[in-house]
Amino acid sequence: MRHGRAKASRRTLQFYRLNAPHLKSPYKILLDGTFLVASIRNKVPLWDRFSKTLQHEQFVCCVTRSTLNELELLSEQSAKIKPSGDSEENNSTFFDRARQYGLDECEIIENCNDVTNTNEKLMNKRAFRDFSEASKDIFCLATDGGNNRAAYFVATQDDGLSDALRAMPYVPLFRLGRAVLLLESPSSASRQFTGNLEQNKLKSAGGLMTSEERKIVDKVNKKDKKKRRETMKEEQQKMQKRSREEVGGCFNERKKKRAKGPNPLSCKSRKSKSS
């Protein structure tokens, strides 16, 4: 693993370790069908790569039953199509091998109905009508509780699913860049959620301040702001008065110059009287 990627992975894990304590070892990695097929196609040793990226912490790979069913259906559809050369045959083989990897190496999540029902309002609001059943299950599992309460890492190559998960806080994403496994840096939603939590901690003194004490503090702060505003206004008035006294009149007032006599250039010269 290159030094730059290893350093970025350490920073990302440190962010989640500090701000999302429920994301801790042993990590749970939720794999979708697109990721499994891409790993088989590019011959990526997933177990070794995950171990290095997660700093050799303990982890377990998970897959939903809907994902396995989806891979099985795709394999059957590819097998029915007559191959032009070896392309379709290879696709069917990739789907079979990806499904077999999920059966052999991953923990299978059988039932996602309970989580799906709790996130039904969120699904309707975001209108994920184009998502497959497998993608819907993965999204619901990774966003349970609004902040990934179940502490899943999600590995996917689906752009639509990735964009939807980036909009939710504390959902770490894995993806493959050809044969390179990448752990994405925390999304803007995760950073914004963390910033809001820190702001609330400052307002409530780390959660130790009651609502009544908060009201008293707000009242005192308003009085202090009003007093500072009045003090600044008095100081400005004093400065203006001092400036007027130094200038000898109104501040920034220019004295008008009075004409001492007629302009000699505009006056007609006297004609000499002829004798």
Side-chain angles (χ1 to χ4, degrees):
M1 190 176 183
R2 295 294 179 88
H3 177 71
R5 290 199 300 272
K7 187 176 180 180
S9 299
R10 282 197 300 270
R11 287 181 177 178
T12 301
L13 291 174
Q14 184 71 10
F15 173 85
Y16 289 119
R17 197 176 292 119
L18 293 174
N19 300 298
H22 56 285
L23 285 166
K24 58 185 178 180
S25 178
Y27 300 114
K28 294 184 290 184
I29 306 172
L30 191 57
L31 310 178
D32 82 333
T34 59
F35 187 87
L36 286 171
V37 172
S39 65
I40 297 298
R41 191 184 297 273
N42 293 295
K43 300 179 181 179
V44 180
L46 286 181
W47 204 265
D48 181 53
R49 298 291 173 84
F50 279 135
S51 179
K52 289 181 179 179
T53 305
L54 296 174
Q55 310 299 309
H56 301 285
E57 296 281 352
Q58 293 182 355
F59 67 94
V60 60
C61 293
C62 305
V63 66
T64 62
R65 176 60 67 179
S66 56
T67 298
L68 297 176
N69 295 338
E70 184 180 61
L71 290 171
E72 184 178 9
L73 179 62
L74 290 172
S75 177
E76 292 175 357
Q77 291 176 354
S78 298
K80 289 179 182 179
I81 301 174
K82 291 183 180 180
S84 57
D86 295 334
S87 58
E88 296 295 340
E89 184 180 357
N90 289 338
N91 284 337
S92 178
T93 304
F94 289 144
F95 293 139
D96 287 335
R97 291 172 61 188
R99 183 175 182 275
Q100 194 62 41
Y101 184 92
L103 290 170
D104 295 341
E105 303 293 339
C106 304
E107 291 186 2
I108 301 175
I109 303 173
E110 295 288 350
N111 190 8
C112 303
N113 293 333
D114 296 337
V115 182
T116 304
N117 292 333
T118 58
N119 288 347
E120 187 175 358
K121 294 181 179 179
L122 183 62
M123 295 286 289
N124 292 334
K125 182 179 179 182
R126 294 182 173 274
F128 293 146
R129 297 176 182 176
D130 297 335
F131 275 21
S132 64
E133 291 299 324
S135 296
K136 288 179 181 179
D137 288 345
I138 290 172
F139 178 82
C140 290
L141 287 170
T143 59
D144 186 25
N147 61 345
N148 194 7
R149 180 170 54 190
Y152 282 110
F153 286 66
V154 179
T156 179
Q157 298 293 99
D158 188 346
D159 293 334
L161 179 59
S162 298
D163 292 339
L165 292 174
R166 289 189 191 102
M168 303 300 294
Y170 300 151
V171 184
L173 289 176
F174 281 107
R175 61 184 174 85
L176 283 174
R178 293 186 180 179
V180 179
L181 180 66
L182 301 173
L183 175 61
E184 291 189 1
S185 58
S187 63
S188 58
S190 299
R191 296 186 183 279
Q192 185 177 0
F193 190 83
T194 301
N196 293 337
L197 288 179
E198 293 298 327
Q199 194 69 23
N200 292 334
K201 286 180 182 179
L202 289 174
K203 289 182 179 179
S204 62
L208 301 176
M209 189 182 298
T210 62
S211 59
E212 295 179 356
E213 292 172 341
R214 181 72 249 169
K215 290 179 181 178
I216 295 173
V217 171
D218 290 339
K219 190 175 181 180
V220 172
N221 289 336
K222 287 182 180 179
K223 286 184 179 179
D224 290 341
K225 287 181 180 179
K226 186 176 180 181
K227 188 174 181 181
R228 285 198 299 267
R229 203 177 294 116
E230 291 176 353
T231 303
M232 288 178 63
K233 191 173 181 181
E234 290 177 359
E235 290 179 355
Q236 288 179 356
Q237 291 176 353
K238 288 180 182 179
M239 289 179 63
Q240 290 180 1
K241 186 177 180 181
R242 193 181 303 115
S243 300
R244 291 192 191 101
E245 292 175 355
E246 291 176 357
V247 173
C250 183
F251 184 63
N252 285 340
E253 183 180 352
R254 295 182 63 183
K255 292 184 178 180
K256 293 183 178 180
K257 293 183 179 180
R258 295 183 178 181
K260 298 178 180 179
N263 186 357
L265 298 177
S266 63
C267 297
K268 292 183 179 181
S269 59
R270 293 182 180 180
K271 296 182 180 180
S272 59
K273 295 180 178 181
S274 56
S275 53

